[in-house]
């Protein structure tokens, strides 16, 4: 409830709920199919720390530090691929179907379908590395008043197309 005029929460209530912990929980649940991962990370940190209590701030720092240079997720992203062929088997992140049909043979930003699976994997991984480079150069969201990133669109950040590609049903 609240004083938002339309029966929704007031601006103050929204701001109070807009915490880093709640944003991470939302991202895990809504964009990564990992509902409950925040609490699983808390349990992992408690186990690693000898069983003591672990607050939301420590859990948030664990997630945030993992994507900074030197963090395990940052390193994994820079070493990883979206598609690989091993022993005649295609290994992919996320599958080969999408909300609008089959993703196999399609590379974001490229017209048409790539027929060769080997060529498709190479082109997809090249696109991935380009997106990762954009994210590395501009990892933060651009605000309306930012002039720090040339040609940046307010409300965007580097690697945004990769974020869309990786969203379930995206």
């Amino acid at each position: 409830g609240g004083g938002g005029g339309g029966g929704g929460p007031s601006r103050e209530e929204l701001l109070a709920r807009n915490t880093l912990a709640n944003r991470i929980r939302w991202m895990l649940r809504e964009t990564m199919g990992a509902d409950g991962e925040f609490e699983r990370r808390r349990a992992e940190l408690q186990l690693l720390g000898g069983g003591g209590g672990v607050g939301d701030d420590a859990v948030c720092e664990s997630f945030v530090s993992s994507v900074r240079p030197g963090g395990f997720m940052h390193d994994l992203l820079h070493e990883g691929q979206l598609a690989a062929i091993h022993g005649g088997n295609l290994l992919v992140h996320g599958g080969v179907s999408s909300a609008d049909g089959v993703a196999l043979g399609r590379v974001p930003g490229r017209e048409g379908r790539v027929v060769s699976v080997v060529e498709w994997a190479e082109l997809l991984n090249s696109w991935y590395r380009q997106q990762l480079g954009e994210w590395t150069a501009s990892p933060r969201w651009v605000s309306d008043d930012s002039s720090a990133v040339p040609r940046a669109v307010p409300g965007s950040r580097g690697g945004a197309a990769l974020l869309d590609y990786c969203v379930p049903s995206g």
Side-chain angles (χ1 to χ4, degrees):
S10 69
R11 177 169 172 70
E12 292 77 24
E13 289 170 321
L14 285 174
L15 290 174
R17 293 179 193 171
N18 186 18
T19 64
L20 180 57
N22 285 339
R23 288 192 308 271
I24 291 173
R25 285 182 182 103
W26 178 89
M27 180 182 62
L28 291 167
R29 181 182 62 248
E30 301 296 334
T31 71
M32 301 179 81
D35 192 17
E37 187 58 31
F38 192 91
E39 295 308 320
R40 287 188 290 274
R41 177 70 64 93
R42 183 190 314 275
E44 176 185 19
L45 294 172
Q46 286 173 332
L47 182 65
L48 293 171
V54 175
D56 282 359
D57 288 346
V59 178
C60 290
E61 179 55 29
S62 173
F63 278 108
V64 171
S65 66
S66 75
V67 295
R68 289 187 184 129
F72 78 91
M73 186 57 69
H74 181 275
D75 293 349
L76 177 66
L77 289 170
H78 282 81
E79 294 295 325
Q81 301 179 66
L82 291 180
I85 298 176
H86 180 74
N89 297 300
L90 174 62
L91 309 169
V92 295
H93 173 81
V96 294
S97 63
S98 63
D100 62 346
V102 177
L104 182 64
R106 296 186 191 268
V107 177
R110 179 186 168 102
E111 291 293 322
R113 175 168 266 136
V114 180
V115 176
S116 163
V117 174
V118 171
E119 182 182 1
W120 172 71
E122 290 170 355
L123 289 169
L124 188 64
N125 288 325
S126 177
W127 173 81
Y128 168 74
R129 286 187 295 279
Q130 179 257 332
Q131 287 292 306
L132 197 56
E134 287 183 17
W135 173 70
T136 300
S138 181
R140 298 194 181 276
W141 293 102
V142 176
S143 65
D144 292 338
D145 60 353
S146 174
S147 60
V149 182
R151 300 182 316 278
V153 176
S156 69
R157 72 175 182 188
L162 182 60
L163 289 175
D164 288 340
Y165 178 82
C166 294
V167 171
S169 300

